[in-house]
Amino acid sequence: MIFVVGIKNADILEMQSITQEASQVFLAADSSDMSDTEQEILTSIQTSQKYVATTASDGKILTVCPQLDECLVFVGGRSLNQPTCLVHLAPDPSSRDIVFLIDGSDDSQRRFPDITDFVQRIVRDLSIGPDSDHLAVVQYSSTAEINFNLSRFMTEDDVLEAVDGLTHKGGYPKNIGAALQYVRDHVFTPESGSRIRQGVPQMLVLLSGGRSGDDIRTSVRLLKEMGVSIVAIGTSDADTLELQTISHEPRYALSVTDYEELSTVKQDVLLLLREPSQHVVHSVDFDSKKSDVVFLIDGSYDSRNGFEEIRAFIQRIVENLNVSQNGDQVAVVQYSRDATANFYLNSYSSKSDVLSSIRTMRHKLGRPLNIGKALEFVKDHVFAASVGGRGADRASQHLYLFSGGRSGDDVRGPAQILKAKGIKTLSIGTKNADTLEMQTVAYTPGHYFFVPNYENLQRIHTSVETKLRDSQETTEFTTDTSTDVETEHQKADIVFLVDGSDNMQPNERLILEFVTDFVKKLEIGPSKAQVALVQYSTEPTADFTLNRYSVKEDTLNHLSNVKLKGGGSVNTGRAIDFVRNTIFTASSGSRLQQGVPQVLVLASGRKSEDDILRPVGMLKNAGIVVFAVGVGSADRSEMERFAPGAWYFLKESSDFPLVRQQLLSATAALRGSVSPGIGSSSTMKRDIVFLIDGSDDVRNTFSTIREFIANLVQNFDLDHEQDKVAVVQYSNKAEISFGLDSFSTKDDVLQHIASLKPKGGRPQYIGAALQFVKDKVFVSNAGGRKNEGAQQILVVLAGGRSRDSPRGPATALKRGGVVILAVGSKQSNSAEMQAISSDTDYTYSVPDFVNLPRIQQLLMRRLTGIKSQETTEGKGEGLKVTYIHSG
């Protein structure tokens, strides 16, 4: 194990490249600031599964030392200054890594207590401990999620308590194949606590209550290839042949009538888990994450003025890839009437060669633009194994499509085939591109980006890179091509907000038929989908609320008699406020507090005459997901602001199936991840403190910091005292610009933010500033409302490296229940930012503070997803805090 301690000007990236794990890098301001580092390294060594052994001259192991400081290595009886061998010793043969992959779909909700009881019964007969059995639990439905991983709990009591506290995931259908792939990629890994490298048997216990909605074969093969032994337990609704295919061997497939009879197979499961001779762990390379990245560039006359911007954008993406023969590979293709490869995936094995080729490539030119044909070419001739495609070798495969105009051929068929192959297509279109085409090609609605022209590409660079990184690190679940998304059970509250003004009259039939067609594909009912319809022009009016109809026929009957209300003005902002305050409420049938997805579909025919940004921000804060559908003269840039990456344009009724399917798929993906937000539908309070760098180093960018905070505050609910805001500046010392109890209205807060000036001073002492916030700002006598159940959130903006250690004060804040988000510039220290934040997902980086607007949406989304949780005593670990985040 390699530990690296850096002092002062050490290079963090260089240090991380030396170690096996980022957690083995430590930073100290100077040699006197190393006491915390010393203890952390000792703790890591003591919990390591690696031992130093004494050996004879022939290499045979003579003794094994239980403590590292007791070990010497002897060769032929002579002590050496340097050990000549390090031996990985497997722990006790009785130890196992056991993962329970349990049915969390809607179908299992009634019997979920029987499932958790069964898991607890198994646990009581295991030997849970650091050197014994480790346990993880994962739930699956349409997607999979970890409840806790293999390294989380090391005592039987902790595991039993965690299982007892499990919440049913919900969702439909049961995608067992995707769940098995998820477990392989995210649970049976060293990062999640798997001891596969130490030879510990890897066991999976699958509970299935029905047939899988996707293909299982590839996932099963990959799991078995790495030596995972699978016990598959199915109810009478499960497919017997499928269970036998999944299981280690046919006798590892067990059957019960229903989940309430699981206790009858308990002994069988224990016997199978205890067959050590059956469970052979194979060697797996976990450090070989690799991607095949293909850029499909519009080479037609439509893009000739933006070709240099496309080239620069691609170069920035490539700069952040790990290009090598066993790492990432890159290909570039241009298309117009037909497609031509500039170079293939296996053409170059170094980043410098790839960048050199990109710099020298010439614009193809030509017309028309045949996107469908280009997608076919990429599928058949670029992602092919013969030219370097590694889809069969577990490489994630990504396609970036740039389009400056409408396609001259059909894109639907080729796009579907690419998705079925697991190729994640990200589409970028200009104002001349066809939005619906771009959304058809994109892997999900969130994989589509709009720019007015190619000169604006750099604005979306951070968002695009984040999407690529997320796709590389997570398994995304697609519905098998044989599954009809439109007929899936959808449990959601869906409100249609329709522009009913005079301007919409030419499109009245189109939009009302779309709503009707959409509802026909839903299962309506109190425990299924609920639908409401609101029209607006100058003022909004509810045609019917969410709890008005519980039968689909009644809903459709009402829709068949709806006419647009008319009106000369279009006040979309006022209508959004009306929906949030009146329709998405418990009295109107909203089930937000039960975790049911809340969805607003705005159908717009022209640009709003009032402000929509504040109402939309409040809507999203309330936990409501928004989509936009445009017709006629709808303003595309307004729809993009309303629903970034989730807006659609209807031209004719033939567009219905695609838009409907995209909306339903996106809604289905929300399940299990929706929690009450902070708007009128929630009673959660938040104390939000901004701790900002006010030193001399940020004097030139301080106005951007001010604007950034003001834009975030615009989305907070200050006037109803749901949220309170404070701002603290720091440099060599910290001082309060205004506290949580200083202002009670949003206007007052915004006015004071606008007048902020940098306090000045240097150097930066972030550790002392964090301690100041803990002692002086979040406390009750300064307006802190922790005792009232408020969630306390700290947003740190750092423009440089700290001269003291922030670890201790940050840990104290987190143990006190404060959620910390850290934003650093390139002058700050990334390891410090990660140490400060509550999670690596809560850490953000920008080149400098001028670029803060790039992460504003991401940060706002993260703030929206933080939900207040009860802080409880951990066992021997102080306070245990749970963070729930969205996105």
Side-chain angles (χ1 to χ4, degrees):
M1 297 177 72
I2 304 175
F3 296 88
V4 184
V5 181
I7 299 175
K8 291 187 178 177
N9 299 318
D11 188 293
I12 181 65
L13 293 177
E14 183 179 77
M15 291 191 293
Q16 288 177 343
S17 70
I18 294 170
T19 65
Q20 294 164 315
E21 305 287 346
S23 61
Q24 289 161 213
V25 175
F26 302 88
L27 292 168
D30 51 50
S31 56
S32 64
D33 185 32
M34 298 181 68
S35 57
D36 289 345
T37 300
E38 176 186 327
Q39 187 55 49
E40 289 177 35
I41 293 177
L42 285 172
T43 301
S44 296
I45 292 173
Q46 288 162 4
T47 58
S48 168
Q49 292 292 336
K50 298 180 180 179
Y51 302 86
V52 179
T54 63
T55 68
S57 58
D58 60 0
K60 290 182 179 177
I61 298 171
L62 298 179
T63 62
V64 176
C65 309
Q67 297 295 328
L68 195 59
D69 57 7
E70 297 174 8
C71 289
L72 289 172
V73 174
F74 291 89
V75 177
R78 184 167 58 88
S79 175
L80 301 179
N81 291 329
Q82 294 294 330
T84 58
C85 71
L86 288 175
V87 179
H88 288 212
L89 274 174
D92 188 298
S94 65
S95 61
R96 293 156 296 233
D97 290 340
I98 304 170
V99 178
F100 280 87
L101 180 58
I102 62 178
D103 181 352
S105 69
D106 292 342
D107 293 339
S108 69
Q109 185 167 10
R110 190 169 58 92
R111 294 298 183 194
F112 195 67
D114 296 311
I115 295 174
T116 56
D117 176 68
F118 172 71
V119 176
Q120 288 177 309
R121 286 171 184 257
I122 296 291
V123 170
R124 291 189 183 99
D125 280 336
L126 298 174
S127 176
I128 304 294
D131 297 322
S132 302
D133 295 328
H134 292 184
L135 197 91
V137 173
V138 178
Q139 287 189 62
Y140 72 93
S141 52
S142 55
T143 61
E145 62 184 34
I146 299 177
N147 290 108
F148 57 89
N149 64 26
L150 290 162
S151 60
R152 181 72 180 277
F153 302 114
M154 291 296 113
T155 69
E156 180 181 309
D157 286 345
D158 284 348
V159 173
L160 291 172
E161 183 182 346
V163 174
D164 189 55
L166 290 178
T167 302
H168 186 252
K169 177 183 186 300
Y172 192 84
K174 303 177 189 69
N175 288 333
I176 299 175
L180 293 171
Q181 184 68 41
Y182 180 88
V183 166
R184 183 187 191 279
D185 293 342
H186 299 282
V187 187
F188 285 118
T189 64
E191 295 79 11
S192 289
S194 168
R195 295 168 292 174
I196 189 170
R197 283 175 172 160
Q198 288 91 349
V200 174
Q202 307 289 289
M203 312 289 299
L204 176 65
V205 180
L206 168 72
L207 275 68
S208 170
R211 183 173 182 143
S212 179
D214 63 354
D215 184 63
I216 62 167
R217 290 167 295 182
T218 301
S219 302
V220 170
R221 176 178 59 81
L222 292 171
L223 276 170
K224 291 181 178 179
E225 282 177 358
M226 70 186 288
V228 176
S229 299
I230 308 174
V231 179
I233 308 169
T235 68
S236 57
D237 293 325
D239 186 293
T240 304
L241 184 60
E242 188 173 75
L243 292 179
Q244 290 178 344
T245 302
I246 293 170
S247 63
H248 181 61
E249 55 183 71
R251 65 190 179 90
Y252 277 62
L254 306 174
S255 181
V256 293
T257 305
D258 201 349
Y259 286 131
E260 63 183 336
E261 293 185 4
L262 280 170
S263 60
T264 63
V265 297
K266 173 194 158 190
Q267 290 303 322
D268 296 323
V269 172
L270 287 170
L271 285 171
L272 295 171
L273 292 177
R274 288 169 177 158
E275 289 188 346
S277 62
Q278 293 288 327
H279 311 311
V280 180
V281 179
H282 300 172
S283 174
V284 179
D285 181 8
F286 288 97
D287 301 317
S288 60
K289 286 183 179 176
K290 50 197 175 188
S291 298
D292 292 342
V293 181
V294 178
F295 296 96
L296 181 56
I297 302 173
D298 180 350
S300 72
Y301 288 108
D302 292 334
S303 67
R304 64 184 180 276
N305 293 330
F307 188 71
E308 289 307 316
E309 284 75 16
I310 295 174
R311 187 207 306 273
F313 185 82
I314 293 173
Q315 285 176 292
R316 283 191 66 185
I317 297 290
V318 172
E319 286 282 5
N320 290 310
L321 295 176
N322 176 31
V323 180
S324 65
Q325 192 165 0
N326 296 315
D328 299 328
Q329 295 184 157
V330 177
V332 173
V333 179
Q334 290 190 57
Y335 72 98
S336 53
R337 180 187 300 276
D338 50 22
T340 305
N342 285 79
F343 56 89
Y344 294 94
L345 290 165
N346 61 358
S347 296
Y348 304 114
S349 58
S350 73
K351 186 183 295 185
S352 59
D353 287 344
V354 170
L355 291 172
S356 176
S357 184
I358 292 171
R359 279 193 293 269
T360 57
M361 68 184 183
R362 302 178 124 190
H363 195 200
K364 172 179 166 38
L365 296 178
R367 60 168 53 102
L369 206 60
N370 290 328
I371 299 175
K373 192 174 180 181
L375 294 174
E376 288 272 7
F377 177 85
V378 165
K379 173 180 67 72
D380 295 336
H381 302 290
V382 184
F383 281 114
S386 59
V387 288
R390 298 170 297 174
D393 194 23
R394 296 190 65 247
S396 59
Q397 297 190 304
H398 309 268
L399 174 64
Y400 286 73
L401 169 70
F402 297 81
S403 173
R406 183 166 188 166
S407 179
D409 61 355
D410 181 59
V411 303
R412 298 182 191 217
Q416 277 300 108
I417 295 172
L418 286 170
K419 291 175 188 177
K421 286 180 169 291
I423 295 168
K424 300 173 179 66
T425 304
L426 187 147
S427 61
I428 301 171
T430 69
K431 65 181 179 181
N432 294 321
D434 187 284
T435 301
L436 195 57
E437 275 182 355
M438 292 293 94
Q439 290 166 344
T440 302
V441 173
Y443 189 64
T444 72
H447 284 71
Y448 167 61
F449 291 86
F450 166 79
V451 288
N453 50 56
Y454 287 128
E455 285 74 16
N456 297 100
L457 272 175
Q458 300 307 326
R459 293 184 183 177
I460 63 168
H461 178 266
T462 301
S463 300
V464 170
E465 277 219 319
T466 300
K467 186 65 68 177
L468 173 62
R469 187 166 58 249
D470 290 346
S471 295
Q472 287 174 316
E473 295 177 353
T474 62
T475 300
E476 301 200 38
F477 299 97
T478 57
T479 305
D480 186 82
T481 52
S482 62
T483 303
D484 186 0
V485 169
E486 297 175 357
T487 59
E488 288 178 10
H489 167 58
Q490 300 290 333
K491 188 175 184 181
D493 294 338
I494 304 173
V495 177
F496 291 93
L497 179 59
V498 176
D499 175 357
S501 67
D502 296 340
N503 182 71
M504 280 285 281
Q505 291 301 325
N507 294 293
E508 178 179 39
R509 182 176 175 183
L510 179 68
I511 201 63
L512 293 177
E513 281 185 357
F514 171 73
V515 175
T516 301
D517 182 72
F518 193 100
V519 171
K520 284 178 181 178
K521 298 297 181 180
L522 297 175
E523 294 182 48
I524 304 293
S527 62
K528 299 175 183 176
Q530 295 185 155
V531 177
L533 175 64
V534 177
Q535 291 190 55
Y536 73 98
S537 52
T538 307
E539 297 290 340
T541 306
D543 282 73
F544 55 88
T545 58
L546 290 165
N547 57 3
R548 174 71 179 277
Y549 299 117
S550 58
V551 178
K552 184 189 294 188
E553 287 72 19
D554 293 341
T555 309
L556 293 173
N557 284 338
H558 192 127
L559 286 170
S560 66
N561 295 310
V562 168
K563 303 290 183 188
L564 294 185
K565 67 194 294 280
S569 301
V570 176
N571 293 323
T572 310
R574 187 178 301 176
I576 293 168
D577 275 336
F578 174 83
V579 166
R580 178 173 60 86
N581 294 323
T582 310
I583 308 300
F584 283 114
T585 59
S587 59
S588 292
S590 169
R591 296 168 292 176
L592 174 65
Q593 299 301 326
Q594 302 168 37
V596 175
Q598 307 289 288
V599 179
L600 176 66
V601 181
L602 170 72
S604 166
R606 73 182 230 203
K607 188 172 182 177
S608 177
E609 296 173 34
D610 63 353
D611 174 60
I612 68 164
L613 292 181
R614 183 200 59 80
V616 168
M618 297 292 288
L619 192 75
K620 293 176 181 177
N621 280 355
I624 297 159
V625 180
V626 293
F627 299 101
V629 176
V631 297
S633 304
D635 187 275
R636 295 178 185 232
S637 61
E638 183 178 77
M639 290 196 294
E640 172 68 21
R641 288 197 300 273
F642 181 80
W647 59 277
Y648 311 86
F649 208 87
L650 288 177
K651 294 182 178 178
E652 52 195 32
S653 58
S654 62
D655 294 334
F656 288 177
L658 179 66
V659 174
R660 180 181 63 236
Q661 184 170 350
Q662 298 244 25
L663 284 172
L664 287 172
S665 297
T667 302
L670 298 171
R671 274 201 280 172
S673 63
V674 176
S675 58
I678 62 159
S680 60
S681 301
S682 170
T683 59
M684 190 187 85
K685 298 176 180 178
R686 301 188 306 177
D687 294 342
I688 305 168
V689 176
F690 292 92
L691 177 60
I692 63 176
D693 186 343
S695 70
D696 296 338
D697 293 342
V698 301
R699 190 173 297 278
N700 294 334
T701 56
F702 195 76
S703 60
T704 311
I705 297 174
R706 263 198 321 254
E707 184 180 351
F708 179 71
I709 297 172
N711 288 337
L712 292 174
V713 169
Q714 285 282 7
N715 295 300
F716 298 162
D717 187 2
L718 295 164
D719 296 330
H720 299 92
E721 295 194 349
Q722 290 288 95
D723 297 329
K724 284 189 173 183
V725 173
V727 173
V728 178
Q729 291 191 53
Y730 74 91
S731 54
N732 54 338
K733 63 179 181 178
E735 62 181 42
I736 299 174
S737 297
F738 59 89
L740 292 167
D741 56 356
S742 296
F743 305 111
S744 57
T745 70
K746 183 182 293 185
D747 287 344
D748 287 343
V749 170
L750 290 172
Q751 185 175 348
H752 202 88
I753 290 171
S755 65
L756 286 177
K757 290 184 169 43
K759 69 183 290 298
R762 59 163 59 103
Q764 294 102 317
Y765 286 96
I766 302 176
L770 292 169
Q771 190 66 45
F772 178 86
V773 168
K774 177 181 176 293
D775 296 339
K776 305 290 186 183
V777 185
F778 278 123
V779 292
S780 57
N781 60 8
R785 299 174 296 170
K786 180 181 177 181
N787 295 335
E788 300 174 33
Q791 174 64 69
Q792 296 191 311
I793 301 169
L794 176 63
V795 181
V796 180
L797 276 75
R801 181 176 178 154
S802 179
R803 292 293 292 271
D804 61 356
S805 174
R807 290 174 185 263
T811 300
L813 280 164
K814 288 180 272 192
R815 284 180 175 165
V818 177
V819 179
I820 307 178
L821 299 92
V823 181
S825 74
K826 69 178 179 181
Q827 303 300 328
S828 64
N829 185 289
S830 59
E832 275 182 356
M833 295 295 96
Q834 291 178 0
I836 291 169
S837 64
S838 293
D839 188 277
T840 53
D841 287 343
Y842 289 68
T843 308
Y844 303 85
S845 178
V846 290
D848 53 53
F849 286 144
V850 173
N851 294 278
L852 280 172
R854 293 183 183 180
I855 64 164
Q856 184 174 311
Q857 289 282 354
L858 292 172
L859 192 66
M860 191 64 235
R861 224 174 283 143
R862 186 71 71 207
L863 286 169
T864 302
I866 296 173
K867 177 184 175 184
S868 182
Q869 292 287 306
E870 183 179 354
T871 303
T872 57
E873 284 290 331
K875 296 193 175 182
E877 298 174 350
L879 291 169
K880 181 172 65 180
V881 184
T882 301
Y883 306 105
I884 295 180
H885 59 81
S886 64

